Amino acid sequence: MSETDVQMRAKSTRGRVFEDFSLGEVIEHATPRTIGEGDVSLYHALTGNRFTLQVSDPFARDVGYHAAPIDDLLVFNIVFGQSVPEISRNAVANLGYAEVDFLAQLYEGETVRARSEVIGLKETSSGETGVVYVRTEGLDHRGAVILRFVRWVMVPTRAGAAAKGKSGAVQDAEPALARQVAPLTVPRHRLNKFWSDRDTGSPHRWEDYETGEKIDHLDGVTIEEAEHMMATRLYHNDSRPHFDGHAMKSTPFGRRIVYGGHVISIARALTHNGLANACIVSAIHGGRHANPTFAGDTLYAWTEIVEKQSLDRRDDIGALRLRTTATKNTPCADFPRLPTEKGGKKDAAGEAIVLELDYTVIVPRRA
């Protein structure tokens, strides 16, 4: 590299590789973000979100809020996006999520910032990549934690494709992760006194769901190139696999991948048909992207009711633990699941599954 090239790049960065992370490191992320009315409206337009509590101020006031709260997953995606430049700008894959705890509901005009702690590092056997585990927190303008989550991401090593097995440069350390978020954070307001099933579009309350029940959400939504790129910009997610079409031409996929958090938001929006009164996401216990999603793919979803939970000292709301599976270009009438792999290959149903999400929602009970 010439001296001129070095000078040109002295103040810019290509992002981190695996060896740049250290266990226990705390990273204060840049670009605190004020979430405005335009951000909220654009999110609803890009995802099709129809959950009434998040889209109607009068409805929200009737059930005890001073205004419609910001959708929980918009907050998640913005905090996630704030962490990308230092954590996953060079990501090969975002592998999974755990311990996603929504600690507060926010309103338009709130400013959020993010910080992350490196809690695990593991180099892969090829030496080409390593997995970085981080616990990220979103903080409000007072510095109070309003969201925390763990994610793990695969990033290249400095040697990259030239590696010949593990370098041993970083000692492996995998964190122990909780199988579920407990205790659940629940709204302070009593939600069932003035709750309107007419306004939400569904008469089904907490009592109407049964453990083991499966719901096909029926509707499909095609993700267009312009839409997923607009969403990625909305979240300030500058990870190259989602953002840089030119760079992705040289990869095996040959094109940009839809950001996984946006896939989660689309899947959540699809669940409205069958779970319209599931008004708040309280926690995400675990999630993984089974296959990539691309522009032009049509997403469908189905949900299994894993558990019904009554809540201490609350007779106005209950909790449902759900497992939502999203598929691409495959309707969910047969409720496909990931098959047992044979010969290292998945069948067509397995290739169609793009998301498996284990989470808990709050649902009003009958008065």
Side-chain angles (χ1 to χ4, degrees):
M1 184 183 299
S2 69
E3 182 178 348
T4 300
D5 290 336
V6 172
Q7 290 173 348
M8 286 179 64
R9 297 179 183 178
K11 290 183 171 62
S12 57
T13 176
R14 291 189 177 277
R16 294 185 176 207
V17 294
F18 182 66
E19 291 88 346
D20 294 328
F21 295 92
S22 58
L23 198 62
E25 177 185 9
V26 175
I27 304 167
E28 299 284 349
H29 300 295
T31 320
R33 176 82 175 271
T34 300
I35 305 175
E37 181 180 0
D39 298 314
V40 172
S41 295
L42 181 56
Y43 178 79
H44 292 162
L46 292 171
T47 62
N49 174 56
R50 292 186 293 148
F51 289 94
T52 309
L53 181 63
Q54 285 82 30
V55 301
S56 171
D57 284 339
F59 180 91
R61 286 193 290 266
D62 284 345
V63 300
Y65 294 80
H66 73 269
I70 299 170
D71 189 277
D72 307 292
L73 292 180
L74 174 56
V75 177
F76 169 79
N77 281 317
I78 285 176
V79 173
F80 187 110
Q82 289 175 323
S83 75
V84 165
E86 290 87 5
I87 304 297
S88 53
R89 177 177 289 178
N90 295 319
V92 177
N94 192 58
L95 299 176
Y97 316 89
E99 300 180 13
V100 186
D101 196 357
F102 297 90
L103 299 167
Q105 292 187 285
L106 303 185
Y107 300 89
E108 292 173 9
E110 180 61 81
T111 298
V112 297
R113 63 170 62 244
R115 68 183 175 213
S116 297
E117 179 184 2
V118 180
I119 61 171
L121 296 166
K122 184 178 181 181
E123 190 174 357
T124 59
S125 58
S126 70
E128 296 181 11
T129 58
V131 179
V132 180
Y133 297 79
V134 295
R135 176 172 284 110
T136 297
E137 294 181 327
L139 301 92
D140 67 12
H141 70 280
R142 299 178 300 271
V145 178
I146 50 89
L147 167 68
R148 64 168 58 97
F149 58 90
V150 173
R151 69 171 172 128
W152 47 107
V153 58
M154 183 179 291
V155 298
T157 59
R158 186 156 285 113
K164 303 292 184 182
K166 293 182 70 169
S167 67
V170 177
Q171 186 174 0
D172 288 348
E174 288 188 88
L177 300 176
R179 296 179 64 87
Q180 65 180 46
V181 175
L184 293 173
T185 300
V186 299
R188 293 171 296 171
H189 314 289
R190 293 187 63 81
L191 295 184
N192 66 359
K193 186 176 182 181
F194 297 108
W195 190 270
S196 170
D197 292 339
R198 178 201 64 195
D199 288 348
T200 63
S202 173
H204 304 304
R205 302 285 186 96
W206 182 81
E207 293 86 351
D208 298 316
Y209 295 93
E210 299 296 333
T211 300
E213 181 181 357
K214 298 178 177 67
I215 303 167
D216 181 356
H217 302 298
L218 295 175
D219 307 315
V221 59
T222 302
I223 300 180
E224 303 293 352
E225 192 82 69
E227 293 169 351
H228 90 84
M229 285 305 303
M230 184 69 73
T232 307
R233 293 187 179 99
L234 172 64
Y235 309 139
H236 283 183
N237 185 336
D238 65 352
S239 180
R240 290 189 181 89
H242 315 310
F243 210 81
D244 190 338
H246 178 72
M248 289 300 289
K249 287 180 180 179
S250 62
T251 68
F253 295 126
R255 58 192 301 198
R256 288 172 293 208
I257 303 169
V258 177
Y259 160 52
H262 189 57
V263 173
I264 292 174
S265 291
I266 295 291
R268 161 72 173 160
L270 287 171
T271 67
H272 182 275
N273 187 1
L275 286 162
N277 284 324
C279 56
I280 295 167
V281 178
S282 180
I284 299 174
H285 310 289
R288 75 184 192 98
H289 302 293
N291 289 291
T293 300
F294 302 99
D297 285 338
T298 298
L299 299 190
Y300 299 87
W302 69 277
T303 296
E304 180 179 359
I305 311 300
V306 176
E307 183 182 3
K308 290 182 66 173
Q309 296 173 276
S310 56
L311 302 171
D312 291 343
R313 298 182 293 278
R314 297 297 295 264
D315 60 4
D316 63 316
I317 57 174
L320 296 177
R321 186 165 180 173
L322 310 176
R323 183 179 295 111
T324 292
T325 301
T327 63
K328 61 180 180 182
N329 310 319
T330 303
C332 294
D334 295 328
F335 305 115
R337 292 179 179 273
L338 279 175
T340 301
E341 294 187 7
K342 296 181 179 180
K345 296 182 179 180
K346 302 172 186 175
D347 66 13
E351 294 289 353
I353 293 176
V354 296
L355 173 69
E356 294 179 311
L357 196 68
D358 175 3
Y359 62 114
T360 293
V361 295
I362 301 299
V363 185
R365 301 180 68 161
R366 291 196 171 84

